[in-house]
Amino acid sequence: MSHWRTLIESDVLRFVDINRDWAVQIVKVGKGKVVGAGGKSNGRAMLYFKDWPKPLACGSTVLSVVAGMHGTDTREWLGRFVTIFPDPTVTYGRDRVGGVRVRPAQPSDEAQKKDAELAAQAAAARAKAEQSGKGAA
């Protein structure tokens, strides 16, 4: 059964978008905005992962974990792997909203390889579906 939050579109990765730990490779670090309930916009750091369609909007907790593994210079994060996982206990204000966290340890080489292959397959399937949709228009 799908979580009700999967019915709401989002431009960023959410805990309901992943169902397990994933070893992901950081390909870009930048700034962005997340629009929340009532149209309120919040500035966030964004981590982009190889072959993933959405970035992860990060607060200081996630950024501190990544910095603890890969240093404080975000340019040094590019090409590095982290393990993301869904955490339904994350709160925003007083509300439990769920979130995506980063484990404070480097993922194994095996996990990096396996998850990179799965992400590449999913990216290829998304590209094929997009091409099919454009051809039908």
Side-chain angles (χ1 to χ4, degrees):
M1 188 162 145
S2 295
H3 192 284
W4 66 266
R5 288 187 189 271
T6 61
L7 301 172
I8 300 170
E9 290 293 321
S10 176
D11 293 331
V12 295
L13 192 60
R14 303 166 299 166
F15 84 102
V16 295
D17 297 325
I18 60 176
N19 59 357
R20 64 174 181 84
D21 286 22
W22 282 90
V24 294
Q25 186 178 24
I26 300 170
V27 295
K28 181 180 173 184
V29 180
K31 293 180 182 179
K33 291 198 181 273
V34 176
V35 179
K40 183 179 177 187
S41 178
N42 292 311
R44 289 278 187 229
M46 298 287 186
L47 294 181
Y48 296 82
F49 305 124
K50 183 177 181 180
D51 293 323
W52 282 71
K54 300 177 186 178
L56 175 61
C58 304
S60 60
T61 301
V62 167
L63 295 172
S64 294
V65 172
V66 178
M69 290 190 302
H70 300 307
T72 58
D73 185 343
T74 59
R75 294 172 294 190
E76 297 297 320
W77 299 0
L78 303 181
R80 301 285 186 98
F81 280 83
V82 295
T83 301
I84 58 173
F85 68 97
D87 183 355
T89 68
V90 171
T91 58
Y92 183 74
R94 295 182 183 187
D95 299 325
R96 184 181 287 194
V97 296
V100 178
R101 296 285 195 204
V102 173
R103 298 221 181 266
Q106 180 76 11
S108 70
D109 291 343
E110 180 183 328
Q112 290 176 28
K113 182 179 179 185
K114 179 185 79 164
D115 288 350
E117 289 173 2
L118 290 172
Q121 290 170 3
R126 282 190 305 275
K128 186 175 180 179
E130 286 176 11
Q131 288 297 332
S132 296
K134 288 180 183 176

